[in-house]
Amino acid sequence: MITRLVVLGGTGDLAGRYLLPGVSALFANGHLDSRFEMVCADRKGRSEEQFQQWVATQLDRHAADAPATARKATEAATRYRRADIQSSEDVARLIPGDEPVAIYLALPPALFPTAVTTLHEAGLPAGSRIVLEKPFGEDLAGAEELNRLLADLVPEQAVFRVDHFLAMTTVQNLLGSRLANRILESVWNSAHIAEVEIIWEETLTLEGRAGYYDYVGALKDMVQNHLLQLLCLIAMEPPITLSERDLRDRKVDVLRSIRPLTDADIPRRTSRGRYLAGSIGERDVPSYVEEHGVDPQRRTETFAAVELTIDSWRWSGTNFVLRSGKALGSDRKEVAVHFRPVPHIPFGHQGTAAPDVLRFGLDPECLSLELTTIGPTVNTLEPLTLTAQMHPPELPAYGRLLLDVLRGDPSLAIRADEAEQAWRVVTPILSAWSRNLVPLDEYPAGTSGPSRPIR
Ligand code: BG6
């Protein structure tokens, strides 16, 4: 197990909001001991005292429930170093000795190539690992270039392209439900499933993230990575084991079998939107283009919907809808599996037999099954919903991801070819959108998004 985590961009939002609470959960659950150090580096030049103050504030805000011992251990394990990621001398100073380290690039994605090049010049001890988050490159060519740089630095097994959605309990439970039960796998195909919706609709707005989001937009922020990853887990063939190779091979098979959308398909099968001023509950929200740091000329979408087809024996004939948007009227975060209607209802019952729906709730994390059953009145049918909450996980998603990095298990990380295949799926859409083949619809904040359907 690696005991030194170096975070480049170590005093930013990602480090404070997710990595520090992740480390504190690892201490709380006995996964780390006093040998562990987390070195947070940036080029701001803070005093150790200012840094410790920042750590305390972040833990108050984002890990308020952590036990006092875990909090103390986290504070004792973290230290600050000034380093410019363009300077190989600065970066080399973060990696003393020849013990392997884990380097977390908590940096804007545009800086990944520079950081990887500097790490190469600085030299990494054998066995070191690199962690980075989406988007992996800005397009297919960018992802291929980044993958080449990473391959020169460390072996592929040591590259952790992390996606925190994959560490959520319900997402893990997609695998559990499918693979540890006989009942689902027998109907898990296009003969029984008409449509799968993979939805991340949020009431959250830009939240001051224009510096990142305005360059990316909903398609690259959510669909190209998180939602396609969920699609892989839903649609993959059962892997032989859950080892990194078996699992990732099966996920890549899914991405490779997604039919590329053509210019003729894209206006019917995709939609994009941008929010206008409105109100969400009690909250008044300014229009996206008035948010600080947004350039309206970029025409960044805050809503994206895409319908995909998988060309495979199992899935030919099932629609896969991926949809994500910000500033919507309500949160809907789930994978909904819609079964086909029954072929025939034998007894003249009143009421309709709505097709069954299996829902994997992503937030809140739950599982529900909507069925039709016999009602209390003679000859009636009525809906019945069975719902179960997931057990709270031992570790938050970032705790699990960090543990995998430190232990060296890349099964939940995205392999180089997976990242490239995911770009292959979205590239024709990005190209058609940039040529305005699909209008950028506007929707008032607090509504359900653009009104134009995707079919
Ligand atoms: C992030 C996206 O990866 O996931 C955000 O950049 C989105 O735009 C977020 O809001 C949702 O995940 P979570 O776990 O932060 O709610």
Side-chain angles (χ1 to χ4, degrees):
M1 175 131 164
I2 284 182
T3 55
R4 188 175 173 91
L5 173 68
V6 175
V7 186
L8 302 180
T11 60
D13 189 58
L14 170 64
R17 186 185 294 266
Y18 295 115
L19 302 186
L20 283 172
V23 164
S24 132
L26 291 178
F27 273 118
N29 288 285
H31 294 293
L32 294 178
D33 60 30
S34 58
R35 285 170 304 168
F36 175 77
E37 317 184 79
M38 174 170 170
V39 178
C40 295
D42 67 17
R43 52 176 197 180
K44 289 185 196 131
R46 297 173 184 242
S47 68
E48 194 60 33
E49 201 187 348
Q50 283 168 330
F51 172 69
Q52 285 302 334
Q53 184 54 50
W54 175 81
V55 171
T57 311
Q58 299 303 310
L59 291 172
D60 285 345
R61 266 196 214 144
H62 306 299
D65 306 342
T69 47
R71 184 185 167 113
K72 265 215 174 100
T74 307
E75 287 171 342
T78 39
R79 44 202 117 277
Y80 176 76
R81 294 285 179 276
R82 202 205 72 82
D84 179 345
I85 57 149
Q86 305 208 28
S87 153
S88 52
E89 291 80 37
D90 280 10
V91 170
R93 272 196 290 276
L94 303 172
I95 313 161
D98 49 17
E99 287 293 304
V101 291
I103 309 266
Y104 206 118
L105 307 186
L107 298 166
L111 295 178
F112 289 167
T114 309
V116 174
T117 307
T118 311
L119 283 163
H120 197 266
E121 288 160 10
L124 282 179
S128 294
R129 300 175 192 139
I130 301 290
V131 193
L132 62 165
E133 300 219 3
K134 58 85 204 259
F136 310 115
E138 286 171 19
D139 52 23
L140 181 57
E144 287 169 347
E145 177 56 21
L146 182 57
N147 283 340
R148 265 194 294 278
L149 290 172
L150 287 163
D152 280 348
L153 183 63
V154 287
E156 176 58 30
Q157 298 261 0
V159 181
F160 287 73
R161 297 174 194 79
V162 294
D163 183 322
H164 75 285
F165 274 46
L166 294 183
M168 289 178 181
T169 313
T170 330
V171 175
Q172 291 290 302
N173 189 44
L174 271 169
L175 291 177
S177 302
R178 279 194 59 191
L179 305 177
N181 297 288
R182 184 166 273 272
I183 195 166
L184 283 186
E185 199 54 29
S186 56
V187 291
W188 210 249
N189 54 54
S190 64
H192 298 282
I193 295 176
E195 180 162 286
V196 178
E197 291 180 287
I198 304 172
I199 309 292
W200 189 270
E201 294 180 346
E202 52 190 7
T203 49
L204 222 65
T205 61
L206 187 59
E207 314 289 314
R209 293 168 75 216
Y212 157 74
Y213 193 87
D214 200 41
Y215 293 85
V216 177
L219 190 71
K220 291 190 195 176
D221 180 46
M222 293 297 300
V223 177
Q224 191 271 346
N225 35 74
H226 302 315
L227 302 193
L228 277 177
Q229 283 295 316
L230 296 182
L231 172 64
C232 287
L233 297 185
I234 291 156
M236 71 183 180
E237 294 302 317
I240 304 167
T241 69
L242 290 184
S243 69
E244 59 87 14
R245 171 154 178 214
D246 289 339
L247 183 61
R248 301 196 294 180
D249 280 354
R250 294 294 75 80
K251 285 165 64 196
V252 174
D253 288 345
V254 174
L255 292 168
R256 291 179 51 227
S257 57
I258 295 174
R259 187 185 304 166
L261 293 178
T262 62
D263 277 0
D265 298 326
I266 288 170
R268 283 184 299 121
R269 304 194 75 184
T270 72
S271 88
R272 57 176 176 157
R274 188 167 71 176
Y275 66 84
L276 296 167
S279 47
I280 306 175
E282 304 288 287
R283 206 157 40 106
D284 285 336
V285 171
S287 95
Y288 177 75
V289 297
E290 281 156 24
E291 295 267 19
H292 179 69
V294 167
D295 177 355
Q297 302 303 326
R298 279 192 205 107
R299 294 172 52 76
T300 301
E301 80 284 355
T302 59
F303 179 100
V306 173
E307 188 188 65
L308 297 172
T309 299
I310 296 181
D311 284 326
S312 72
W313 188 286
R314 186 190 282 261
W315 291 118
S316 176
T318 299
N319 287 323
F320 289 87
V321 176
L322 281 59
R323 193 165 67 238
S324 182
K326 287 196 180 290
L328 298 171
S330 55
D331 286 300
R332 182 178 167 208
K333 301 169 179 176
E334 66 175 10
V335 174
V337 180
H338 297 269
F339 288 85
R340 296 193 188 280
V342 290
H344 171 62
I345 300 218
F347 19 59
H349 280 78
Q350 306 290 311
T352 47
D356 306 335
V357 187
L358 177 63
R359 294 181 195 277
F360 294 88
L362 300 169
D363 183 16
E365 300 205 273
C366 60
L367 181 61
S368 81
L369 179 58
E370 293 169 13
L371 299 166
T372 298
T373 183
I374 301 293
T377 317
V378 177
N379 277 349
T380 55
L381 294 174
E382 66 174 26
L384 170 76
T385 301
L386 307 173
T387 303
Q389 302 303 323
M390 296 287 98
H391 289 298
E394 180 200 24
L395 293 175
Y398 272 89
R400 166 74 197 269
L401 291 178
L402 284 173
L403 186 61
D404 284 356
V405 169
L406 299 174
R407 286 201 301 215
D409 175 1
S411 51
L412 292 188
I414 291 151
R415 211 167 53 189
D417 53 345
E418 254 182 282
E420 291 175 15
Q421 284 295 331
W423 279 113
R424 185 191 63 81
V425 174
V426 301
T427 298
I429 308 172
L430 288 168
S431 154
W433 286 7
S434 72
R435 286 174 287 130
N436 286 323
L437 296 190
V438 175
L440 178 64
D441 291 333
E442 294 191 302
Y443 59 96
T447 62
S448 59
S451 49
R452 201 177 62 90
I454 58 170
R455 264 168 277 168

